[in-house]
Amino acid sequence: MVVRNDILLQLFKLRLFGCSAAAQVKSSRETKGQYLSINMSFSVGVMSAMYLTKGISGAHLNPAVTLSFCILRKVKWGRLVPYCLSQVLGAYVASALVYVVYYDAIMEFGEGVLTVHGPNETASIFATYPSQYLTLGRSFLDQVVGTGMLMLCILSLEEKRNTPAPSDLIPPIVATIVLGISMSMSANCGAAINPARDLGPRLFTLTAGWGTEVFTCYNYWFWVPLVAPLIGGPLGSCLYLVFIEWQLPTPELLPQDKSTTVCTISNSIKEPATTQGTGDNLKSTYF
């Protein structure tokens, strides 16, 4: 099993933008940015990461999206685990770099103590945590809905039978979708909607000094941003299939223009074949 370096780099870049913004906003007590700064930074991270590797692996930034594409047979199942491991590892490494870069600011803000609770907590710079008022069931629903909306939006972008987006504009469009979700659905528990985006940084905080509380706090809430998006993604995909894709008109097969075919064959025959294999391929193509 091989870690995909391109996917690792995507999550590294995404988390570097997002966690750096979170560290800057929190450690400065919002004097050097606000909550919107974090949302916008994550969106810019999504866009830049997609442009970076879209032509290599299809820009897989989210295990929930990768799982949904496997179910839809757009991605081979054998790629699921290597992609997910690469995504988690990339998020972990990015969190480590943010910690090193903002170490002094984090320590000053937390008064030298790395905590998960209280006014000086710093764990939320890296992973997501629920609001005090939120129940476990509602936080689960929150993540299912957010991830479902993500899939419902992105699946239509390359649909030729509908109104497909220009290929070069898909990264900024996806970034805008992520920005919209994070601005409208992040009050409850941070709008993780991405298991790797949460697990990688949470594992880092476990090893960097925050301790096991990052997994046990809020009634072991950590499993919610891991499991709920993996359910929300396929559910959003099902909604898209039932209400959109299956309703689109089937493209009619146009009758082939015989004159064009004859002309094409004639031109091909006039061109000298460089190898016997080329001639065989031509024959199998047209007859």
Side-chain angles (χ1 to χ4, degrees), residues 101-129:
V101 171
Y102 280 95
Y103 177 82
D104 296 327
I106 291 172
M107 285 301 174
E108 181 181 1
F109 179 84
E111 298 178 354
V113 181
L114 301 177
T115 60
V116 180
H117 296 284
N120 294 329
E121 66 82 16
T122 48
S124 63
I125 290 174
F126 301 95
T128 59
Y129 294 88

